[in-house]
Amino acid sequence: MKIFILAILIFCLISPSSSSFNTRVDCAEVPPALWCDNVALKQECGFEKLCNRYERRMHNQTLKITLLYEGLCPDCQEYITGPLFDVYTHFKNYIDLELIPFGNAKVDYKTKKITCQHGEEECKVNKYQGCAINFLPKPFEFVYCLESRLMKGFKLEDSAKTCLEHVKADVHAVDLITHCFHGEQGNKFQLAYAKLTDEAFPEKHLHVPWLYFNDVSLHKAQNYQTILSDIICQWMVNDELPDVCYRENDVDYRDIEDDDDHDEDSDSEETEEHIEEHSEEPSEEEVSVERYHELTAEEEYE
């Protein structure tokens, strides 16, 4: 009898309970990108210390994203006026977007002369944007406007004037930018951007556009350029996230209740209703993106 009771106790101790961690998961094989996504996973695999440190530090903080680019680089222009503009529209209150208009330019530190990849005109564009970035409260909106026009072949001077009006820059800011561009201050900004570009850590840039995340520069992280919205949603530790973080394929997952009583047919009907609802009533962020493009298209250029 005693042996029987002892056997039962041993069986209970070694048998996995329904609440225990799934032993099929080998913690040594869990990709780092998943370490902080689940409480049970963090606890079981010993990821808590680093994950909790990040989550405490970044709670309700902005994610810093740095863009290395060049003013006349076609790939940079496509990225700024396309994917990055969409990201800015959705996340401008959640990210700190730092713009570094220097890219693959070279500096002769003896003469302090800068040579740009796409010629002297690009050096002028970089210099002007460097000045604007330092004296405008929302520099990305100006850079987006300027690059949109440069892509279409408009000259720097005319485009800059149009874009300063478009972002409603005040007279004082316009004067500061003008003096900066025509004076030595613009050159100093470019040398500072050269230093920031050269001091990338831990890996230097190989091409432009190039992104840093919270001042970290990695070759593999450039794969995030095409999925930047998803990455920001994953990395943010905010009490409230923008609507885009809850939506996929036009379905808002906050509106979907986890109801085990619903069968597949009812789930399918609910999903279709959500898709129809969101297709009829786009979010404010989507409206702002669409309207911004409409306004840009409607403007007359001289």
Side-chain angles (χ1 to χ4, degrees):
M1 184 65 178
K2 292 182 179 180
I3 296 175
F4 177 75
I5 295 174
L6 181 61
I8 292 176
L9 290 173
I10 293 174
F11 177 81
C12 292
L13 288 172
I14 65 174
S15 296
S17 66
S18 59
S19 61
S20 65
F21 190 77
N22 189 338
T23 55
R24 290 179 299 175
V25 174
D26 185 341
C27 293
E29 296 178 353
V30 177
L34 305 181
W35 284 5
C36 303
D37 286 351
N38 180 271
V39 174
L41 185 66
K42 287 192 296 184
Q43 293 174 345
E44 179 68 20
C45 292
F47 304 145
E48 280 186 294
K49 185 175 181 180
L50 284 176
C51 290
N52 291 346
R53 180 183 178 187
Y54 174 81
E55 289 165 0
R56 285 194 300 268
R57 176 65 181 85
M58 291 300 296
H59 182 242
N60 287 332
Q61 299 297 310
T62 56
L63 177 69
K64 183 179 180 182
I65 298 176
T66 301
L67 173 70
L68 304 186
Y69 73 102
E70 300 166 348
L72 294 182
C73 161
D75 288 340
C76 299
Q77 292 175 332
E78 290 287 344
Y79 190 66
I80 289 170
T81 60
L84 191 59
F85 174 76
D86 293 337
V87 167
Y88 176 81
T89 301
H90 291 302
F91 296 99
K92 59 186 174 183
N93 296 325
Y94 299 88
I95 62 173
D96 174 15
L97 182 57
E98 180 182 38
L99 302 169
I100 308 294
F102 188 81
N104 296 324
K106 304 296 181 184
V107 180
D108 182 339
Y109 285 99
K110 291 182 178 179
T111 63
K112 295 186 179 180
K113 178 178 175 57
I114 298 174
T115 303
C116 296
Q117 185 173 5
H118 298 91
E120 184 61 30
E121 185 64 21
E122 181 172 74
C123 284
K124 293 179 181 178
V125 173
N126 289 347
K127 183 179 180 181
Y128 196 98
Q129 291 194 24
C131 293
I133 288 167
N134 279 275
F135 294 118
L136 291 176
K138 297 180 179 179
F140 178 76
E141 296 177 9
F142 172 81
V143 170
Y144 165 80
C145 176
L146 187 66
E147 293 295 348
S148 297
R149 285 152 178 73
L150 294 175
M151 287 176 67
K152 298 174 182 177
F154 294 98
K155 298 297 183 182
L156 171 62
E157 291 76 10
D158 293 338
S159 297
K161 180 180 178 182
T162 299
C163 290
L164 287 171
E165 293 174 355
H166 184 79
V167 300
K168 297 179 172 58
D170 60 46
V171 175
H172 181 59
V174 173
D175 286 343
L176 288 173
I177 293 170
T178 301
H179 288 298
C180 171
F181 176 64
H182 292 291
E184 186 59 27
Q185 190 175 29
N187 295 328
K188 290 181 179 179
F189 284 148
Q190 282 298 292
L191 292 174
Y193 289 142
K195 188 172 185 290
L196 287 172
T197 301
D198 188 57
E199 291 179 349
F201 177 83
E203 297 173 345
K204 297 186 183 301
H205 85 285
L206 301 178
H207 55 77
V208 286
W210 188 271
L211 297 178
Y212 303 167
F213 298 96
N214 281 350
D215 295 321
V216 175
S217 171
L218 293 174
H219 298 164
K220 287 186 177 181
Q222 304 316 305
N223 295 327
Y224 298 152
Q225 289 188 19
T226 57
I227 55 169
L228 191 52
S229 291
D230 294 335
I231 291 299
I232 295 172
C233 290
Q234 181 180 356
W235 289 349
M236 284 196 307
V237 189
N238 292 57
D239 294 333
E240 293 186 8
L241 302 178
D243 289 344
V244 69
C245 290
Y246 297 101
R247 300 183 63 189
E248 183 177 343
N249 298 326
D250 293 326
V251 178
D252 191 330
Y253 288 101
R254 291 170 299 181
D255 297 337
I256 299 178
E257 296 180 356
D258 185 14
D259 190 346
D260 294 336
D261 295 333
H262 289 180
D263 57 22
E264 292 183 0
D265 291 338
S266 62
D267 288 342
S268 177
E269 291 174 1
E270 286 184 2
T271 302
E272 290 175 0
E273 290 175 0
H274 285 296
I275 293 175
E276 182 178 355
E277 176 184 348
H278 287 291
S279 63
E280 291 176 355
E281 298 180 5
S283 68
E284 292 182 3
E285 292 171 341
E286 291 174 322
V287 171
S288 66
V289 173
E290 182 178 350
R291 185 56 184 152
Y292 198 104
H293 284 299
E294 288 176 357
L295 290 173
T296 304
E298 291 171 1
E299 289 180 345
E300 295 182 0
Y301 308 112
E302 297 181 357

